[in-house]
Amino acid sequence: MTCYAVSRSRVLWTVSGCFRLLVEVEFPMFTRCRELSRRLLRSVSCSRSTLHLSASYCLSSPASRPPVLWSGVARPLSDFRRPLMDLKGALEVLEQLAPLSLAESWDNVGLLVEPSEPRPIKTILLTNDLTAAVMDEAVEMSCDLIVSYHPPLFRPLKRLLQKDWKQRLAVRAVEAHIAVFSPHTSWDSVAGGVNDWLVGGMGSGKVSVLSQAQSSGPQKHRLEFSCMNDERLSGLLEQLRRIEGSESFQCSTVRSESGGQQVSLICQSSALTAAAQILLSDPQTSRSLNITQVQQPPLLGCGQGRLSVLDEPLSVSTAVQKMKTHLGLPHLRLALGDQQTLDSVVQTVAVCAGSGASVVQGVKADLYITGEMSHHEVLDAVSEGRSVILTDHSNSERGFLSVFRQRLSARLGQTINVVISQRDRDPLQVV
């Protein structure tokens, strides 16, 4: 198949919602450009902003769909006829990448602002913090969804007034019909998330989770009791089956040496009271009843903080340089542990993005890396011979946006433009 390049071709989107295809033909063999223009007009769905289309068209086969180079990615024209994704669909993809159930109980994650008028999601803006400058950026690009790592709305609001900057942001998002979503600690916890990315800056190693995440399924309890009479046991089990939600019960019985039955019943917390009342009403089972909470299974690779046993030990000074490069920062803050120097060997590294003192504190590691720690928390670590690198809070997180952008774009396809904010930055700087 022979391919010819169409030079200086561009699609212009006008205010009225119409567009024109302007093709400047430099070679006489482009006799089918008019036909191709009509095909593009029928199949291309453009965004609100001006688009520049640079294309390589395969003109040898009328039956084949010529690939189009859109923002540097070759795409068949059939892609543009796919239905646009709505907010619900975009949120489903976001939760697939990092389930909100992984977030800490104190956190405020998920959809924080929902427009009253549904519209297709065409542009998503990723930011670490939603500030007034970032909101200006979102409005200027006609953004449909802002994914703000930190939740701009954290504490309950009793009113929406202009005197508070976070309330102003919420009002502006509503007025501009922009949805706002925050993942926060779900990104920290998920395998391959912020903390795995952060510890990866130190090089390869054996990585483990500092605070293990558990399954988020319904809480369950185990009720263990014994019953000497089979007929009585059958009556008790029949009463238990009448409890709402009993279809989820897990029951096992074992014949004891004394001839009775040892029973283990697992039920959800919602059915615990009713089940316990039935068993306590029987004099025999009430004496032997024992109730324990069932531990939820761990989610391997998920949780807060990471500990890495490095494959190749390095010096403190090398660790500092590697972290500067990884985060793209000219400066970091370093506290050397007691009896430690810049040449001291670092074999183990404990990290937690953001404010991670409560997660890394007490962990046996040569080096702690986090965004911020209090003065006394740093002194505690230093007194134990552990060196500390502080990046400032959001600098320990912001670089992950580029990683997440690639993952999100791969899931959403080319119909949605995922952009990283150019105005998001840590409020602190070295002067």
Side-chain angles (χ1 to χ4, degrees):
M1 180 180 292
T2 304
C3 296
Y4 303 99
V6 177
S7 66
R8 295 194 296 278
S9 301
R10 57 192 184 275
V11 175
L12 300 180
W13 180 267
T14 66
V15 175
S16 63
C18 302
F19 60 84
R20 307 187 308 274
L21 180 70
L22 307 179
V23 183
E24 300 175 18
V25 182
E26 296 180 350
F27 303 98
M29 72 276 296
F30 283 100
T31 58
R32 296 177 54 207
C33 283
R34 183 172 300 175
E35 175 191 350
L36 182 57
S37 299
R38 288 195 297 269
R39 290 167 63 186
L40 281 170
L41 286 168
R42 289 193 301 266
S43 59
V44 175
S45 176
C46 298
S47 68
R48 291 183 295 270
S49 58
T50 300
L51 303 177
H52 297 278
L53 178 64
S54 174
S56 294
Y57 299 106
C58 299
L59 302 177
S60 61
S61 174
S64 65
R65 290 289 184 181
V68 178
L69 189 67
W70 191 283
S71 300
V73 180
R75 302 173 57 198
L77 288 176
S78 58
D79 281 2
F80 297 106
R81 290 199 295 270
R82 294 176 182 173
L84 295 174
M85 182 174 288
D86 60 8
L87 177 60
K88 180 182 178 181
L91 295 180
E92 288 176 352
V93 173
L94 287 168
E95 286 210 49
Q96 289 168 6
L97 291 172
L100 295 179
S101 58
L102 292 174
E104 296 296 293
S105 59
W106 49 262
D107 207 355
N108 188 37
V109 296
L111 184 63
L112 305 184
V113 176
E114 181 179 10
S116 59
E117 298 179 8
R119 69 182 187 188
I121 301 298
K122 298 179 182 178
T123 301
I124 297 177
L125 180 66
L126 304 182
T127 183
N128 199 80
D129 294 290
L130 181 54
T131 61
V134 174
M135 181 58 76
D136 289 340
E137 183 181 19
V139 172
E140 290 168 8
M141 67 172 59
S142 297
C143 172
D144 304 296
L145 171 61
I146 297 173
V147 176
S148 176
Y149 169 77
H150 286 133
L153 301 177
F154 192 79
R155 295 179 177 84
L157 298 175
K158 293 185 177 181
R159 52 183 58 84
L160 291 174
L161 303 177
Q162 292 299 308
K163 64 180 181 180
D164 180 89
W165 71 276
K166 289 188 175 181
Q167 294 175 25
R168 288 198 300 271
L169 290 177
V171 172
R172 288 195 65 189
V174 170
E175 291 176 340
H177 304 288
I178 300 175
V180 180
F181 174 90
S182 177
H184 202 200
T185 51
S186 65
W187 276 14
D188 296 343
S189 179
V190 71
V194 176
N195 281 307
D196 282 307
W197 165 81
L198 183 61
V199 78
M202 288 291 96
S204 61
K206 183 179 180 181
V207 179
S208 57
V209 177
L210 292 179
S211 180
Q212 181 65 55
Q214 307 294 324
S215 172
S216 61
Q219 185 60 60
K220 297 181 179 181
H221 290 80
R222 178 180 286 107
L223 295 84
E224 296 175 304
F225 60 94
S226 58
C227 187
M228 299 301 295
N229 185 290
D230 290 352
E231 184 176 346
R232 176 179 290 180
L233 176 59
S234 297
L236 289 172
L237 294 178
E238 179 61 31
Q239 293 182 62
L240 291 170
R241 278 193 287 269
R242 297 193 192 106
I243 297 175
E244 184 178 355
S246 62
E247 62 275 3
S248 65
F249 287 5
Q250 297 171 274
C251 185
S252 62
T253 60
V254 176
R255 180 72 65 177
S256 62
E257 294 180 359
S258 59
Q261 296 270 22
Q262 186 66 33
V263 183
S264 176
L265 174 70
I266 297 178
C267 68
Q268 295 184 7
S269 295
S270 59
L272 175 62
T273 300
Q277 287 175 342
I278 291 172
L279 297 175
L280 289 172
S281 66
D282 183 274
Q284 188 178 110
T285 58
S286 64
R287 290 194 297 269
S288 60
L289 180 61
N290 181 45
I291 302 176
T292 56
Q293 183 173 307
V294 177
Q295 183 68 37
Q296 297 282 25
L299 295 174
L300 298 181
C302 297
Q304 298 302 317
R306 298 292 186 270
L307 175 67
S308 179
V309 181
L310 300 177
D311 293 335
E312 297 183 7
L314 39 77
S315 67
V316 173
S317 61
T318 301
V320 170
Q321 292 303 318
K322 287 177 73 71
M323 190 50 54
K324 283 182 178 180
T325 301
H326 187 58
L327 302 181
L329 298 174
H331 305 286
L332 295 171
R333 289 189 289 168
L334 171 68
L336 285 170
D338 284 351
Q339 308 302 315
Q340 302 298 306
T341 69
L342 289 174
D343 295 324
S344 295
V345 175
V346 174
Q347 175 72 66
T348 53
V349 182
V351 309
C352 184
S355 182
S358 62
V359 177
V360 301
Q361 199 168 33
V363 176
K364 294 182 179 180
D366 301 318
L367 176 65
Y368 289 169
I369 301 176
T370 187
E372 59 179 331
M373 295 172 68
S374 73
H375 173 73
H376 294 285
E377 289 166 341
V378 172
L379 290 179
D380 289 341
V382 166
S383 68
E384 297 171 350
R386 314 189 197 290
S387 297
V388 177
I389 290 178
L390 299 181
T391 68
D392 283 336
H393 190 111
S394 67
N395 288 333
S396 66
E397 307 154 339
R398 184 170 288 102
F400 180 72
L401 293 177
S402 61
V403 176
F404 190 79
R405 178 185 179 276
Q406 294 178 347
R407 296 177 185 174
L408 185 59
S409 296
R411 290 292 190 96
L412 296 176
Q414 297 298 317
T415 58
I416 298 179
N417 188 27
V418 183
V419 183
I420 298 176
S421 172
Q422 299 300 306
R423 303 182 191 177
D424 172 46
R425 55 181 53 86
D426 195 282
L428 293 171
Q429 57 180 317
V430 178
V431 295

